[in-house]
Coordinates of all heavy atoms in Angstrom, one line a residue:
M573 N 0.8 -1.2 0.0 CA 0.0 0.0 0.0 C 0.9 1.2 0.0 O 2.0 1.3 0.6 CB -0.9 0.0 1.2 CG -1.7 1.2 1.3 SD -3.0 1.2 2.6 CE -4.2 0.2 1.9
A574 N 0.5 2.3 -0.8 CA 1.2 3.5 -0.8 C 1.2 4.2 0.5 O 0.2 4.2 1.3 CB 0.6 4.4 -1.8
K575 N 2.3 4.8 1.0 CA 2.4 5.5 2.2 C 2.6 7.0 2.0 O 3.3 7.4 1.0 CB 3.5 4.9 3.0 CG 3.4 3.5 3.3 CD 3.2 3.3 4.8 CE 3.3 1.8 5.1 NZ 2.2 1.4 5.8
A576 N 2.2 7.9 3.0 CA 2.5 9.3 2.9 C 3.2 9.7 4.2 O 3.1 9.0 5.2 CB 1.2 10.1 2.9
T577 N 3.9 10.7 4.2 CA 4.7 11.3 5.3 C 4.1 12.6 5.6 O 4.2 13.6 4.7 CB 6.2 11.3 5.1 OG1 6.6 10.0 4.7 CG2 6.9 11.8 6.3
Y578 N 3.7 12.9 6.7 CA 3.2 14.2 7.2 C 4.3 15.3 7.0 O 5.5 15.1 7.5 CB 2.7 14.3 8.6 CG 2.2 15.7 9.1 CD1 0.9 16.0 8.8 CD2 3.1 16.5 9.7 CE1 0.5 17.3 9.2 CE2 2.6 17.8 10.1 CZ 1.2 18.1 9.9 OH 0.8 19.3 10.3
V579 N 4.1 16.5 6.5 CA 5.1 17.5 6.2 C 4.7 18.8 7.0 O 5.5 19.2 7.7 CB 5.2 17.8 4.7 CG1 6.1 19.0 4.4 CG2 5.7 16.6 3.9
Q580 N 3.5 19.2 6.8 CA 3.1 20.4 7.5 C 1.5 20.6 7.5 O 0.9 19.8 6.8 CB 3.7 21.7 6.9 CG 3.3 22.0 5.4 CD 4.0 23.1 4.9 OE1 5.0 23.6 5.4 NE2 3.5 23.6 3.7
E581 N 1.0 21.5 8.3 CA -0.4 21.7 8.4 C -1.1 22.1 7.1 O -2.1 21.7 6.7 CB -0.7 22.6 9.5 CG -2.2 22.7 9.9 CD -2.5 23.4 11.1 OE1 -1.7 23.3 12.1 OE2 -3.4 24.3 11.1
G582 N -0.4 23.0 6.4 CA -0.9 23.4 5.1 C -1.6 24.7 5.1 O -2.1 25.1 4.0
N583 N -1.7 25.5 6.1 CA -2.3 26.8 6.1 C -1.5 27.8 5.4 O -1.9 28.7 4.7 CB -2.6 27.3 7.5 CG -3.7 26.4 8.2 OD1 -4.7 26.0 7.5 ND2 -3.6 26.2 9.4
T584 N -0.1 27.6 5.6 CA 0.9 28.4 4.7 C 1.9 27.4 4.1 O 2.1 26.4 4.7 CB 1.6 29.4 5.7 OG1 2.3 28.7 6.7 CG2 0.8 30.5 6.3
L585 N 2.3 27.8 3.0 CA 3.3 27.0 2.3 C 4.6 27.8 2.1 O 4.6 29.0 1.9 CB 2.7 26.6 1.0 CG 1.3 25.9 1.0 CD1 0.8 25.7 -0.4 CD2 1.5 24.6 1.7
D586 N 5.7 27.0 2.0 CA 7.0 27.6 1.6 C 6.8 28.0 0.0 O 6.2 27.3 -0.8 CB 8.1 26.7 1.7 CG 8.5 26.5 3.2 OD1 8.1 27.3 4.0 OD2 9.1 25.4 3.5
Y587 N 7.3 29.2 -0.3 CA 7.2 29.7 -1.7 C 8.5 30.4 -2.0 O 8.9 31.3 -1.3 CB 6.1 30.6 -1.8 CG 5.8 31.1 -3.2 CD1 5.1 30.4 -4.1 CD2 6.3 32.4 -3.6 CE1 4.8 30.9 -5.4 CE2 6.1 32.9 -4.9 CZ 5.3 32.2 -5.8 OH 5.2 32.6 -7.1
R588 N 9.1 30.0 -3.2 CA 10.3 30.7 -3.6 C 9.9 31.7 -4.7 O 9.2 31.4 -5.7 CB 11.3 29.7 -4.2 CG 12.6 30.3 -4.6 CD 13.7 29.3 -4.9 NE 14.0 28.4 -3.7 CZ 14.6 28.8 -2.6 NH1 15.2 30.0 -2.4 NH2 14.8 27.8 -1.7
N589 N 10.3 32.9 -4.5 CA 10.1 33.9 -5.5 C 10.9 33.8 -6.8 O 12.1 34.1 -6.7 CB 10.3 35.4 -4.8 CG 10.0 36.5 -5.8 OD1 9.7 36.3 -7.0 ND2 10.2 37.8 -5.4
L590 N 10.3 33.2 -7.7 CA 11.2 33.0 -9.0 C 10.9 34.1 -10.1 O 11.2 34.0 -11.2 CB 10.8 31.6 -9.6 CG 11.1 30.4 -8.7 CD1 10.6 29.1 -9.3 CD2 12.6 30.4 -8.4
G591 N 10.1 35.1 -9.6 CA 9.8 36.2 -10.6 C 11.0 37.2 -10.7 O 12.2 36.9 -10.3
S592 N 10.7 38.4 -11.2 CA 11.8 39.3 -11.4 C 11.6 40.6 -10.5 O 12.4 41.5 -10.7 CB 11.7 39.8 -12.9 OG 10.5 40.4 -13.2
E593 N 10.7 40.6 -9.6 CA 10.4 41.7 -8.7 C 10.2 41.1 -7.2 O 9.8 39.9 -7.1 CB 9.2 42.4 -9.1 CG 9.3 43.1 -10.5 CD 8.0 43.8 -10.8 OE1 7.1 44.1 -10.0 OE2 7.9 44.2 -12.0
K594 N 10.5 41.9 -6.3 CA 10.3 41.6 -4.9 C 8.8 41.5 -4.7 O 8.0 42.2 -5.2 CB 10.8 42.8 -4.1 CG 10.6 42.6 -2.6 CD 11.1 43.7 -1.8 CE 10.8 43.6 -0.3 NZ 11.2 44.8 0.5
I595 N 8.5 40.4 -3.9 CA 7.1 40.2 -3.4 C 7.0 40.7 -2.0 O 7.9 40.5 -1.2 CB 6.7 38.7 -3.4 CG1 6.8 38.2 -4.9 CG2 5.4 38.5 -2.7 CD1 6.7 36.7 -4.9
E596 N 6.0 41.6 -1.7 CA 5.8 42.1 -0.4 C 4.7 41.3 0.3 O 3.8 40.8 -0.3 CB 5.4 43.6 -0.5 CG 6.6 44.4 -1.2 CD 6.3 45.9 -1.3 OE1 5.2 46.3 -0.8 OE2 7.2 46.6 -1.7
A597 N 4.9 41.3 1.7 CA 3.8 40.7 2.5 C 2.4 41.4 2.1 O 2.3 42.5 2.0 CB 4.2 41.0 4.0
G598 N 1.5 40.5 2.0 CA 0.2 40.9 1.6 C -0.2 40.9 0.1 O -1.3 40.9 -0.4
D599 N 0.9 40.7 -0.8 CA 0.7 40.6 -2.2 C -0.1 39.3 -2.5 O 0.2 38.3 -1.8 CB 1.9 40.6 -3.0 CG 2.7 41.9 -3.1 OD1 2.1 43.0 -2.7 OD2 3.8 41.9 -3.6
I600 N -1.0 39.4 -3.5 CA -1.7 38.2 -3.8 C -0.9 37.6 -4.9 O -0.5 38.1 -5.9 CB -3.1 38.6 -4.4 CG1 -4.0 39.4 -3.4 CG2 -3.9 37.5 -5.0 CD1 -5.2 40.1 -3.9
I601 N -0.7 36.2 -4.8 CA 0.2 35.5 -5.7 C -0.7 34.4 -6.4 O -1.4 33.7 -5.8 CB 1.3 34.8 -4.9 CG1 2.1 35.9 -4.2 CG2 2.1 33.9 -5.8 CD1 3.2 35.2 -3.2
S602 N -0.6 34.4 -7.7 CA -1.3 33.4 -8.5 C -0.4 32.1 -8.4 O 0.8 32.1 -8.6 CB -1.3 33.8 -9.9 OG -1.7 32.7 -10.7
L603 N -1.1 31.1 -8.0 CA -0.6 29.7 -7.9 C -1.1 28.9 -9.0 O -1.3 27.7 -8.9 CB -0.8 29.1 -6.6 CG -0.3 29.9 -5.3 CD1 -0.7 29.3 -4.0 CD2 1.2 30.0 -5.4
T604 N -1.5 29.4 -10.1 CA -2.1 28.9 -11.4 C -3.5 28.5 -11.2 O -4.3 28.9 -12.0 CB -1.3 27.7 -11.8 OG1 0.2 28.2 -11.9 CG2 -1.6 27.3 -13.2
T605 N -3.8 27.5 -10.3 CA -5.2 27.1 -10.2 C -5.9 27.6 -8.9 O -6.9 27.2 -8.5 CB -5.2 25.6 -10.1 OG1 -4.5 25.1 -8.9 CG2 -4.6 24.9 -11.3
R606 N -5.2 28.6 -8.2 CA -5.7 29.2 -7.0 C -4.7 30.3 -6.6 O -3.7 30.5 -7.4 CB -5.8 28.3 -5.8 CG -4.5 27.6 -5.4 CD -4.8 26.4 -4.5 NE -5.3 25.3 -5.3 CZ -6.6 24.7 -5.0 NH1 -7.2 25.1 -3.9 NH2 -7.0 23.7 -5.8
V607 N -5.1 31.1 -5.6 CA -4.1 32.2 -5.2 C -3.7 32.0 -3.8 O -4.5 31.2 -3.0 CB -4.8 33.5 -5.3 CG1 -5.2 33.9 -6.8 CG2 -6.0 33.7 -4.4
G608 N -2.7 32.6 -3.4 CA -2.2 32.6 -2.0 C -1.9 34.1 -1.7 O -1.8 35.0 -2.6
V609 N -1.6 34.4 -0.4 CA -1.2 35.7 0.0 C 0.1 35.6 0.7 O 0.3 34.9 1.6 CB -2.3 36.3 1.0 CG1 -1.9 37.7 1.5 CG2 -3.7 36.4 0.2
A610 N 1.0 36.4 0.2 CA 2.3 36.4 0.8 C 2.4 36.9 2.3 O 1.8 37.9 2.6 CB 3.3 37.4 0.0
G611 N 3.0 36.0 3.1 CA 3.0 36.3 4.5 C 4.3 37.1 4.9 O 4.4 37.6 6.0
T612 N 5.3 37.1 4.0 CA 6.5 37.8 4.2 C 7.0 38.5 3.0 O 6.5 38.1 1.9 CB 7.6 36.8 4.7 OG1 7.8 35.8 3.6 CG2 7.3 36.1 6.0
D613 N 7.9 39.4 3.1 CA 8.6 40.0 2.0 C 9.5 39.0 1.4 O 10.1 38.2 2.2 CB 9.4 41.2 2.3 CG 8.5 42.4 2.7 OD1 7.3 42.5 2.4 OD2 9.2 43.4 3.2
M614 N 9.6 38.8 0.1 CA 10.5 37.9 -0.5 C 11.3 38.5 -1.7 O 10.7 38.9 -2.7 CB 9.7 36.7 -1.1 CG 9.1 35.8 -0.1 SD 8.0 34.6 -0.9 CE 6.4 35.3 -0.6
E615 N 12.5 38.8 -1.5 CA 13.4 39.2 -2.5 C 13.4 38.1 -3.7 O 13.1 36.9 -3.5 CB 14.8 39.4 -2.1 CG 14.9 40.5 -0.9 CD 14.5 41.8 -1.4 OE1 14.6 42.2 -2.7 OE2 14.2 42.8 -0.6
V616 N 13.8 38.6 -4.9 CA 13.9 37.6 -6.0 C 14.9 36.5 -5.6 O 15.9 36.7 -5.1 CB 14.4 38.3 -7.3 CG1 14.7 37.4 -8.4 CG2 13.4 39.4 -7.7
G617 N 14.3 35.3 -5.8 CA 15.1 34.1 -5.5 C 15.0 33.6 -4.0 O 15.4 32.5 -3.7
S618 N 14.5 34.4 -3.2 CA 14.3 34.0 -1.7 C 13.1 33.2 -1.5 O 12.2 33.2 -2.2 CB 14.4 35.2 -0.8 OG 13.2 35.9 -0.9
L619 N 13.1 32.4 -0.3 CA 12.0 31.6 0.1 C 11.3 32.4 1.2 O 11.8 33.1 2.0 CB 12.5 30.4 0.8 CG 11.6 29.3 1.1 CD1 11.1 28.7 -0.2 CD2 12.4 28.1 1.8
G620 N 9.9 32.3 1.1 CA 9.0 33.0 2.1 C 7.8 32.2 2.3 O 7.7 30.9 1.9
S621 N 6.8 32.7 3.0 CA 5.6 31.9 3.2 C 4.4 32.5 2.5 O 4.4 33.8 2.2 CB 5.2 32.0 4.7 OG 4.9 33.2 5.1
V622 N 3.5 31.7 2.2 CA 2.3 32.1 1.5 C 1.1 31.4 2.1 O 1.1 30.2 2.2 CB 2.3 31.6 -0.1 CG1 1.0 32.0 -0.8 CG2 3.4 32.5 -0.8
A623 N 0.1 32.2 2.5 CA -1.1 31.8 3.1 C -2.0 31.2 2.0 O -2.2 31.9 1.0 CB -1.8 32.8 3.9
V624 N -2.5 30.0 2.2 CA -3.4 29.4 1.2 C -4.8 29.1 1.8 O -5.7 28.5 1.2 CB -2.9 28.1 0.6 CG1 -1.7 28.5 -0.3 CG2 -2.4 27.1 1.6
T625 N -5.0 29.5 3.1 CA -6.3 29.3 3.8 C -6.5 30.7 4.5 O -5.6 31.4 4.8 CB -6.4 28.2 4.7 OG1 -5.4 28.4 5.8 CG2 -6.2 26.9 4.1
G626 N -7.8 30.9 4.8 CA -8.1 32.1 5.6 C -9.0 33.1 4.8 O -9.3 32.8 3.6
V627 N -9.4 34.2 5.5 CA -10.1 35.2 4.9 C -9.3 36.5 4.8 O -8.7 36.9 5.7 CB -11.4 35.5 5.7 CG1 -12.2 36.7 5.1 CG2 -12.3 34.2 5.8
F628 N -9.3 37.1 3.5 CA -8.6 38.2 3.3 C -9.5 39.3 2.7 O -10.3 39.0 1.8 CB -7.4 38.0 2.4 CG -6.3 37.1 3.0 CD1 -6.5 35.7 3.0 CD2 -5.3 37.6 3.7 CE1 -5.6 34.8 3.6 CE2 -4.3 36.8 4.3 CZ -4.5 35.4 4.3
S629 N -9.2 40.6 3.0 CA -9.8 41.7 2.2 C -8.9 42.0 1.0 O -7.8 42.2 1.1 CB -9.8 43.0 3.2 OG -10.3 44.0 2.4
M630 N -9.6 41.9 -0.2 CA -8.8 42.0 -1.4 C -9.4 43.1 -2.3 O -10.6 43.4 -2.2 CB -8.8 40.7 -2.2 CG -8.1 39.6 -1.4 SD -8.1 38.1 -2.4 CE -7.0 37.0 -1.4
P631 N -8.6 43.7 -3.1 CA -9.1 44.8 -4.1 C -10.1 44.2 -5.1 O -9.8 43.1 -5.5 CB -7.9 45.3 -4.7 CG -6.9 44.3 -4.5 CD -7.1 43.5 -3.3
K632 N -11.1 44.9 -5.3 CA -12.3 44.4 -6.1 C -12.3 45.2 -7.4 O -12.2 46.4 -7.4 CB -13.6 44.5 -5.4 CG -14.8 43.9 -6.1 CD -16.1 44.3 -5.4 CE -16.5 45.6 -5.3 NZ -16.8 46.2 -6.6
A633 N -12.6 44.5 -8.5 CA -12.8 45.1 -9.8 C -14.2 45.7 -9.7 O -14.9 45.6 -8.7 CB -12.8 44.1 -10.9
T634 N -14.7 46.4 -10.9 CA -16.0 47.0 -10.9 C -17.1 46.0 -10.7 O -16.9 44.8 -11.0 CB -16.2 47.8 -12.2 OG1 -16.0 46.9 -13.3 CG2 -15.2 48.9 -12.3
G635 N -18.3 46.4 -10.2 CA -19.4 45.6 -10.2 C -19.7 45.1 -8.8 O -18.7 45.1 -8.0
A636 N -20.8 44.7 -8.5 CA -21.2 44.1 -7.1 C -20.8 42.5 -7.1 O -20.8 42.0 -8.2 CB -22.6 44.3 -6.9
I637 N -20.5 42.1 -5.9 CA -20.3 40.7 -5.7 C -21.1 40.2 -4.6 O -21.1 40.8 -3.5 CB -18.7 40.4 -5.4 CG1 -17.9 40.8 -6.6 CG2 -18.6 38.9 -5.0 CD1 -16.4 40.6 -6.4
A638 N -21.9 39.1 -4.9 CA -22.9 38.7 -3.9 C -22.2 37.8 -2.9 O -21.2 37.1 -3.1 CB -24.0 37.9 -4.6
L639 N -22.8 37.7 -1.7 CA -22.3 36.8 -0.5 C -22.4 35.4 -1.2 O -23.3 35.0 -1.8 CB -23.3 36.9 0.6 CG -23.2 35.7 1.7 CD1 -21.8 35.9 2.4 CD2 -24.3 35.9 2.6
G640 N -21.2 34.7 -1.0 CA -21.2 33.3 -1.5 C -20.8 33.1 -2.9 O -20.5 32.0 -3.4
A641 N -20.7 34.2 -3.6 CA -20.2 34.1 -5.0 C -18.8 33.6 -5.2 O -17.9 34.0 -4.4 CB -20.3 35.4 -5.7
L642 N -18.6 32.7 -6.2 CA -17.2 32.3 -6.4 C -16.4 33.5 -7.1 O -17.0 34.2 -7.9 CB -17.2 31.1 -7.4 CG -17.8 29.8 -6.9 CD1 -17.9 28.9 -8.1 CD2 -17.0 29.4 -5.7
V643 N -15.2 33.7 -6.6 CA -14.5 34.9 -7.1 C -13.1 34.4 -7.6 O -12.6 33.4 -7.3 CB -14.3 36.0 -6.0 CG1 -15.7 36.5 -5.6 CG2 -13.6 35.4 -4.8
Y644 N -12.6 35.3 -8.5 CA -11.3 34.9 -9.2 C -10.4 36.1 -9.2 O -10.8 37.3 -8.9 CB -11.7 34.7 -10.6 CG -12.8 33.6 -10.7 CD1 -14.1 33.8 -10.7 CD2 -12.4 32.2 -10.9 CE1 -15.0 32.8 -10.7 CE2 -13.3 31.2 -10.9 CZ -14.6 31.5 -10.8 OH -15.5 30.5 -10.8
F645 N -9.2 35.9 -9.4 CA -8.1 37.0 -9.4 C -7.7 37.3 -10.8 O -7.2 36.4 -11.5 CB -6.9 36.5 -8.5 CG -5.8 37.5 -8.4 CD1 -6.1 38.8 -7.9 CD2 -4.6 37.3 -8.9 CE1 -5.1 39.8 -7.8 CE2 -3.5 38.2 -8.8 CZ -3.7 39.5 -8.2
N646 N -7.8 38.5 -11.2 CA -7.4 38.9 -12.5 C -5.9 39.4 -12.3 O -5.7 40.4 -11.7 CB -8.3 40.1 -13.0 CG -7.8 40.5 -14.4 OD1 -6.7 41.1 -14.7 ND2 -8.6 40.2 -15.5
T647 N -4.9 38.7 -12.9 CA -3.6 39.0 -12.7 C -3.1 40.3 -13.3 O -2.2 40.9 -12.9 CB -2.7 37.8 -13.1 OG1 -2.9 37.6 -14.5 CG2 -3.0 36.5 -12.4
T648 N -3.8 40.7 -14.5 CA -3.5 41.9 -15.1 C -3.9 43.1 -14.3 O -3.2 44.1 -14.1 CB -4.2 41.9 -16.5 OG1 -3.7 40.8 -17.2 CG2 -3.8 43.2 -17.3
Q649 N -5.1 43.1 -13.8 CA -5.7 44.2 -13.0 C -5.2 44.1 -11.5 O -5.2 45.2 -10.9 CB -7.2 44.2 -13.0 CG -7.9 44.4 -14.3 CD -9.4 44.3 -14.1 OE1 -10.0 44.3 -13.0 NE2 -10.1 44.2 -15.2
G650 N -4.9 42.9 -11.1 CA -4.6 42.8 -9.7 C -5.8 43.0 -8.8 O -5.7 43.4 -7.7
K651 N -6.9 42.5 -9.3 CA -8.3 42.6 -8.6 C -9.1 41.4 -8.7 O -8.9 40.6 -9.6 CB -9.0 43.8 -9.1 CG -8.2 45.2 -8.9 CD -9.1 46.4 -9.3 CE -8.3 47.7 -9.0 NZ -9.1 48.8 -9.3
I652 N -10.0 41.3 -7.7 CA -11.0 40.2 -7.7 C -12.1 40.4 -8.5 O -12.7 41.5 -8.6 CB -11.4 40.0 -6.2 CG1 -10.2 39.6 -5.3 CG2 -12.6 39.0 -6.2 CD1 -9.6 38.2 -5.6
T653 N -12.5 39.4 -9.2 CA -13.6 39.6 -10.3 C -14.6 38.3 -10.0 O -14.4 37.4 -9.2 CB -13.1 39.5 -11.7 OG1 -12.7 38.1 -11.9 CG2 -12.0 40.5 -12.0
T654 N -15.6 38.2 -10.9 CA -16.4 37.1 -10.9 C -16.3 36.4 -12.2 O -17.1 35.6 -12.6 CB -17.9 37.5 -10.6 OG1 -18.3 38.5 -11.6 CG2 -18.1 38.0 -9.2
T655 N -15.2 36.7 -12.9 CA -15.0 36.1 -14.3 C -14.3 34.8 -14.1 O -13.1 34.8 -13.7 CB -14.2 37.1 -15.1 OG1 -14.7 38.4 -15.1 CG2 -13.9 36.6 -16.5
N656 N -14.9 33.7 -14.5 CA -14.4 32.4 -14.3 C -13.3 32.0 -15.2 O -12.7 30.9 -15.1 CB -15.5 31.3 -14.3 CG -16.1 31.1 -15.7 OD1 -15.6 31.7 -16.6 ND2 -17.0 30.3 -15.7
T657 N -12.7 32.9 -16.0 CA -11.6 32.6 -16.8 C -10.3 33.1 -16.1 O -9.2 32.9 -16.5 CB -11.6 33.2 -18.3 OG1 -12.0 34.6 -18.1 CG2 -12.7 32.5 -19.0
D658 N -10.5 33.9 -15.0 CA -9.4 34.4 -14.2 C -9.0 33.3 -13.2 O -9.6 32.2 -13.2 CB -9.8 35.7 -13.4 CG -10.0 36.8 -14.3 OD1 -9.3 36.9 -15.4 OD2 -10.8 37.7 -14.0
V659 N -7.9 33.5 -12.4 CA -7.4 32.6 -11.5 C -8.4 32.3 -10.3 O -8.8 33.3 -9.6 CB -6.0 32.9 -10.9 CG1 -5.5 31.9 -10.0 CG2 -5.0 33.1 -12.1
P660 N -8.8 31.1 -10.1 CA -9.8 30.9 -8.9 C -9.1 31.5 -7.6 O -8.1 31.2 -7.3 CB -10.0 29.4 -8.9 CG -9.6 28.9 -10.3 CD -8.6 29.9 -10.7
A661 N -10.0 32.1 -6.8 CA -9.5 32.7 -5.6 C -10.2 32.1 -4.4 O -9.7 31.9 -3.3 CB -9.6 34.2 -5.5
G662 N -11.5 32.0 -4.4 CA -12.3 31.4 -3.4 C -13.7 31.9 -3.5 O -14.3 31.9 -4.5
F663 N -14.4 32.3 -2.3 CA -15.8 32.9 -2.4 C -15.9 34.1 -1.5 O -15.1 34.2 -0.5 CB -16.7 31.7 -2.1 CG -16.7 31.2 -0.7 CD1 -17.5 31.8 0.3 CD2 -15.9 30.2 -0.4 CE1 -17.5 31.3 1.6 CE2 -15.9 29.7 0.9 CZ -16.7 30.2 1.9
A664 N -16.8 34.9 -1.9 CA -17.0 36.1 -1.0 C -17.8 35.8 0.2 O -18.8 35.0 0.1 CB -17.9 37.1 -1.8
I665 N -17.3 36.3 1.4 CA -18.0 35.9 2.6 C -18.9 37.0 3.0 O -19.5 37.0 4.1 CB -17.0 35.6 3.8 CG1 -16.2 36.8 4.2 CG2 -16.2 34.4 3.4 CD1 -15.7 36.8 5.6
A666 N -19.0 38.1 2.3 CA -20.0 39.2 2.5 C -20.2 39.9 1.2 O -19.4 39.8 0.2 CB -19.3 40.3 3.4
T667 N -21.4 40.4 1.1 CA -21.7 41.2 -0.2 C -20.8 42.4 -0.3 O -20.6 43.1 0.7 CB -23.2 41.6 -0.1 OG1 -24.0 40.4 -0.1 CG2 -23.5 42.4 -1.4
A668 N -20.3 42.7 -1.5 CA -19.6 43.9 -1.9 C -20.4 44.6 -2.9 O -20.8 44.1 -4.0 CB -18.2 43.5 -2.4
T669 N -20.7 45.9 -2.6 CA -21.5 46.6 -3.6 C -20.6 47.2 -4.7 O -19.3 47.0 -4.6 CB -22.1 47.9 -3.0 OG1 -21.1 48.8 -2.5 CG2 -23.0 47.4 -1.7
S670 N -21.1 47.7 -5.8 CA -20.4 48.2 -7.0 C -19.4 49.4 -6.5 O -18.3 49.4 -7.0 CB -21.3 48.9 -8.0 OG -22.1 47.8 -8.6
S671 N -19.8 50.1 -5.4 CA -18.9 51.2 -5.0 C -17.9 50.8 -4.0 O -16.9 51.5 -3.7 CB -19.8 52.3 -4.3 OG -20.5 51.8 -3.2
D672 N -17.9 49.5 -3.5 CA -16.9 49.0 -2.6 C -15.6 48.8 -3.4 O -15.6 48.2 -4.4 CB -17.3 47.7 -2.0 CG -18.4 47.9 -0.8 OD1 -18.6 49.0 -0.4 OD2 -19.2 46.9 -0.7
A673 N -14.5 49.2 -2.7 CA -13.1 49.0 -3.3 C -12.6 47.6 -3.0 O -11.7 47.2 -3.7 CB -12.2 50.1 -2.8
T674 N -13.1 46.9 -2.0 CA -12.6 45.7 -1.6 C -13.7 44.6 -1.4 O -14.9 45.0 -1.3 CB -11.8 45.7 -0.3 OG1 -12.7 46.2 0.7 CG2 -10.6 46.7 -0.4
V675 N -13.4 43.4 -1.3 CA -14.3 42.3 -1.0 C -13.6 41.3 -0.1 O -12.4 41.1 -0.2 CB -14.8 41.6 -2.3 CG1 -13.6 40.9 -3.1 CG2 -15.8 40.5 -2.0
L676 N -14.4 40.7 0.9 CA -13.7 39.7 1.8 C -13.8 38.4 1.1 O -14.9 37.9 0.7 CB -14.6 39.7 3.1 CG -14.4 41.0 3.9 CD1 -15.4 40.9 5.2 CD2 -13.0 41.2 4.4
V677 N -12.6 37.8 1.0 CA -12.6 36.5 0.3 C -12.0 35.4 1.1 O -11.0 35.5 1.8 CB -11.6 36.6 -0.9 CG1 -11.3 35.3 -1.6 CG2 -12.0 37.7 -1.9
K678 N -12.8 34.3 1.2 CA -12.3 33.0 1.8 C -11.5 32.3 0.7 O -12.1 31.9 -0.2 CB -13.5 32.2 2.4 CG -13.2 30.8 2.7 CD -12.2 30.7 4.0 CE -12.2 29.3 4.4 NZ -11.1 28.5 3.8
L679 N -10.2 32.1 1.1 CA -9.4 31.4 0.0 C -9.8 29.9 -0.1 O -10.3 29.3 0.8 CB -7.9 31.4 0.5 CG -7.3 32.8 0.5 CD1 -5.8 32.6 0.9 CD2 -7.4 33.5 -0.8
L680 N -9.6 29.5 -1.4 CA -9.8 28.1 -1.6 C -8.9 27.3 -0.6 O -7.7 27.6 -0.4 CB -9.4 27.7 -3.1 CG -10.3 28.2 -4.1 CD1 -9.7 27.9 -5.5 CD2 -11.7 27.7 -4.0
G681 N -9.4 26.3 -0.1 CA -8.5 25.5 0.9 C -8.2 24.2 0.4 O -8.4 23.7 -0.6

């Protein structure tokens, strides 16, 4: 039978900044099929932490977002949308009106 070895709880993950710019704590990071939130500053090439669970206030694109709506991260705008071709982020835990600049997002776990 196949065996597994416990590594970590999984609320935060080690993440190496392989980009060309510094990542700052709080930056939303695309993990291709979901997003995480940087827990630490990470210089290019350095290792840091990324939260992959929890609730975060995130910048919202135009339009209202309903409580419970699936939300996505537009990497070009750097904002949360309801467009399912963007990177999946999680779901809204509160309604955000068109005039709200942010939305509360429960990350995919």
Side-chain angles (χ1 to χ4, degrees):
M573 178 174 279
K575 301 248 184 225
T577 303
Y578 181 83
V579 176
Q580 63 183 11
E581 192 171 315
N583 293 322
T584 60
L585 303 175
D586 290 339
Y587 181 84
R588 185 165 308 279
N589 180 1
L590 299 177
S592 59
E593 298 179 9
K594 176 183 179 180
I595 295 172
E596 296 182 0
D599 283 351
I600 302 169
I601 299 171
S602 171
L603 302 173
T604 309
T605 60
R606 63 197 65 240
V607 299
V609 177
T612 57
D613 290 347
M614 290 174 259
E615 297 294 338
V616 173
S618 71
L619 190 65
S621 68
V622 173
V624 292
T625 63
V627 175
F628 294 85
S629 177
M630 297 182 170
K632 180 184 72 64
T634 58
I637 298 179
L639 167 68
L642 295 176
V643 294
Y644 304 85
F645 180 63
N646 183 291
T647 58
T648 303
Q649 295 178 13
K651 295 185 177 183
I652 295 296
T653 71
T654 55
T655 306
N656 68 1
T657 55
D658 291 331
V659 179
F663 65 93
I665 67 153
T667 299
T669 67
S670 293
S671 62
D672 289 332
T674 61
V675 59
L676 293 175
V677 176
K678 165 68 172 86
L679 295 182
L680 295 173

